[in-house]
C-alpha cells in the first residue's frame, strides 16, 4: 500500500496498538480496515492522520494498550493513547511540566513494568532519564541518572519480583 502523506515521508517504525500505528517523519498514522472486525488488506484499508508531531528513527515501546515514542526533534517523549470518541490515537506530550529535561537528545528507549512502570531514555551525552508514572494515582515524575562513565545502551529483562534494567557503560 502506498501512503501519500507529504513530500518526503519515511516510515521509521510500525507499532501494533488498538490499530496499527505507522510512525513517519511527519506524522503517526493509524491504519485499520474499512469495516469493523474485517481483515486488514491492501484493498481494505483506512488510514487516519495523527498529531503531525512526527517520529524519530528510535524504536518505540508499548505498555499495555499505550505506545511511547520519541518525537522527530529527538528531545521529546510522546504517549499514544486510543480515544474511542475520536476512533483514533491521540499523541500526548509526556514533557509538558518539564520540557527541557531531554534537551541533550534521546538515542534509546526502554520500559520496566515492575515494581512500577517507568520509561527509561538514554541520552546523547551518555546520561539517562527515567519517567515514573501511575495513572491511578496521577503520578508523573522525571529523574536524571548519571554514572562515572558513559551510558551507551540499555535493555530490560523480566525477573521475579521486578524487572532488571541493564546498562552498557563505558
Amino acid at each position: 500500500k502506498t501512503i501519500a502523506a507529504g513530500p518526503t515521508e519515511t516510515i521509521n517504525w510500525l507499532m501494533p496498538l488498538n490499530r496499527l500505528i505507522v510512525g513517519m517523519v511527519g506524522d503517526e498514522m493509524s491504519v485499520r480496515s474499512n469495516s469493523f472486525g474485517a481483515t486488514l488488506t491492501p484493498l481494505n484499508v483506512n488510514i487516519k492522520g495523527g498529531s503531525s508531531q512526527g517520529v524519530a528513527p528510535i524504536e518505540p515501546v508499548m505498555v499495555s494498550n499505550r505506545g511511547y515514542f520519541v518525537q522527530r526533534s529527538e528531545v521529546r517523549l510522546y504517549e499514544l493513547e486510543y480515544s474511542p470518541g475520536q476512533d483514533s490515537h491521540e499523541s500526548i506530550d509526556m514533557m509538558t511540566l518539564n520540557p527541557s529535561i531531554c534537551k541533550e537528545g534521546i538515542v534509546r528507549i526502554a520500559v520496566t513494568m515492575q515494581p512500577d512502570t517507568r520509561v527509561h531514555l538514554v541520552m546523547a551525552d551518555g546520561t539517562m532519564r527515567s519517567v515514573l508514572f501511575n495513572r491511578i494515582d496521577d503520578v508523573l515524575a522525571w529523574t536524571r541518572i548519571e554514572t562515572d562513565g558513559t551510558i551507551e545502551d540499555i535493555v530490560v529483562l523480566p525477573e521475579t519480583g521486578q524487572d532488571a534494567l541493564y546498562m552498557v557503560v563505558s
Side-chain angles (χ1 to χ4, degrees):
K1 182 75 177 165
T2 301
I3 301 174
T8 56
E9 278 298 347
T10 300
I11 295 175
N12 287 324
W13 46 255
L14 300 173
M15 187 169 21
L17 295 174
N18 294 60
R19 305 273 195 263
L20 177 63
I21 306 298
V22 180
M24 299 184 299
V25 173
D27 206 349
E28 322 80 56
M29 294 195 157
S30 174
V31 180
R32 63 182 176 101
S33 65
N34 287 325
S35 56
F36 182 74
T39 304
L40 182 63
T41 68
L43 300 175
N44 184 21
V45 65
N46 184 347
I47 301 172
K48 287 187 172 188
S51 68
S52 299
Q53 287 294 327
V55 307
I58 298 168
E59 188 77 22
V61 293
M62 295 185 301
V63 177
S64 300
N65 60 347
R66 293 184 169 96
Y68 297 88
F69 70 92
V70 178
Q71 193 257 356
R72 72 174 167 238
S73 68
E74 297 183 1
V75 297
R76 299 191 77 76
L77 179 69
Y78 274 78
E79 175 185 68
L80 284 170
E81 181 177 24
Y82 183 70
S83 171
Q86 297 192 7
D87 192 28
S88 65
H89 284 81
E90 294 182 21
S91 296
I92 302 161
D93 187 354
M94 297 289 292
M95 301 171 67
T96 303
L97 299 176
N98 197 345
S100 64
I101 191 151
C102 294
K103 66 183 177 191
E104 297 80 7
I106 303 164
V107 297
R108 177 94 163 90
I109 182 172
V111 64
T112 53
M113 299 297 296
Q114 296 298 326
D116 301 303
T117 304
R118 298 169 195 230
V119 174
H120 308 280
L121 307 167
V122 175
M123 309 307 296
D125 68 351
T127 61
M128 192 167 87
R129 307 291 181 269
S130 291
V131 59
L132 164 71
F133 53 94
N134 183 316
R135 300 274 175 233
I136 295 169
D137 295 328
D138 196 25
V139 172
L140 178 71
W142 284 92
T143 188
R144 298 174 198 270
I145 299 169
E146 297 181 14
T147 66
D148 289 337
T150 301
I151 300 171
E152 295 179 354
D153 201 1
I154 55 175
V155 66
V156 174
L157 297 177
E159 291 189 2
T160 303
Q162 69 181 34
D163 294 338
L165 174 68
Y166 292 93
M167 295 182 243
V168 175
V169 180
S170 64

